[in-house]
Each structure stands twice: as structure tokens, then as C-alpha cells.
Amino acid sequence: MQDLKELKVSNMLILGAGLTVFAIHLIFNLQGSWAFLLSAALYGVLYFAARLVTKKKLGMADVWFGFFQGLCLGLQPVNLLLCVLVEVLGGLALAGFKNQHKKIPFIPFMSFALLITFILNFILKTL
């Protein structure tokens, strides 16, 4: 909501959420925690590279949220592809309706993509 209203997100909020998710991994999946840290680093690097390629059109909060996505989704390439596909399509759809010179909040699309990825993973695992 903060990104929609102010076009910025508190890095402390994302850090707190990330530390919470990592603590859950440590408690319930100690041996596999390293994979989620590696995933967080890969997602973060991906979004940081996108930030550089787009000449800083992505904010640092988007990069930090990418780390958070990696902590949540793990090292599954399908998850990464699905997440990126949903958020990019959503962002492009909104950009088509808005003025090209206006900033668009991207974390809502990233959050929605994360939720869709969780739901699809759940459905596929229960089949």
C-alpha cells in the first residue's frame, strides 16, 4: 500500500519481513536454509541488474523485495520465471494505461506475482 500511495517502501519493512522468513527457515528447515539464502542472493542480483539496465527505473526497495522473493521461493527456476513473468506483464499492462513519463509502483506487482506463485505451487503439489 505504501508503494501505491507514496512510490516508496521502507527498507526496514522489507528487512524485517526477510529476517522473519529466514528465521522460519532456520527453525523448520535448518539444513535447507542455505538454499534460500542463495536464492535470495540470485533474485537480488537479478533485480539489481534490471535496475542498472533500466537506468534506475527500479528502486532499491524493488531490489530488496527481490531478495525477499528469493527467501520465500527458493532455488526453483520455474518459480523465478513465473514470478518475473507475472510482475512484468502486470507492470507493462499498467504502463500501457499510464503516461510513459510517470513512475509506476512495482512492488505491488512483485507481491501479486509472489502470491500467484505460492498458489500455483500449492495447487501443483496437491494434484
Side-chain angles (χ1 to χ4, degrees), residues 97-116:
F97 294 113
K98 286 204 166 210
N99 185 341
Q100 295 296 331
H101 300 290
K102 286 193 170 193
K103 289 188 174 185
I104 297 172
F106 196 59
I107 287 182
F109 297 106
M110 295 174 80
S111 301
F112 180 71
L114 184 60
L115 178 65
I116 293 296

Side-chain angles (χ1 to χ4, degrees), residues 45-117:
V45 166
L46 171 79
Y47 287 102
F48 187 75
R51 176 179 161 82
L52 294 177
V53 168
T54 62
K55 298 178 183 168
K56 298 187 179 181
K57 288 188 180 181
L58 285 179
M60 277 309 294
D62 300 324
V63 174
W64 288 116
F65 197 85
F67 278 97
F68 176 74
Q69 282 181 325
L71 278 174
C72 293
L73 294 175
L75 285 172
Q76 297 176 0
V78 172
N79 287 343
L80 172 64
L81 291 173
L82 178 62
C83 223
V84 169
L85 180 68
V86 170
E87 61 200 28
V88 166
L89 290 176
L92 288 174
L94 182 63
F97 294 113
K98 286 204 166 210
N99 185 341
Q100 295 296 331
H101 300 290
K102 286 193 170 193
K103 289 188 174 185
I104 297 172
F106 196 59
I107 287 182
F109 297 106
M110 295 174 80
S111 301
F112 180 71
L114 184 60
L115 178 65
I116 293 296
T117 304

Side-chain angles (χ1 to χ4, degrees), residues 2 8-15 61:
Q2 186 181 21
K8 63 181 177 180
V9 175
S10 167
N11 288 334
M12 294 307 289
L13 178 67
I14 298 171
L15 177 64

Side-chain angles (χ1 to χ4, degrees), residues 12-26 68 71:
M12 294 307 289
L13 178 67
I14 298 171
L15 177 64
L19 289 175
T20 301
V21 169
F22 187 63
I24 291 168
H25 286 305
L26 288 176
F68 176 74
L71 278 174

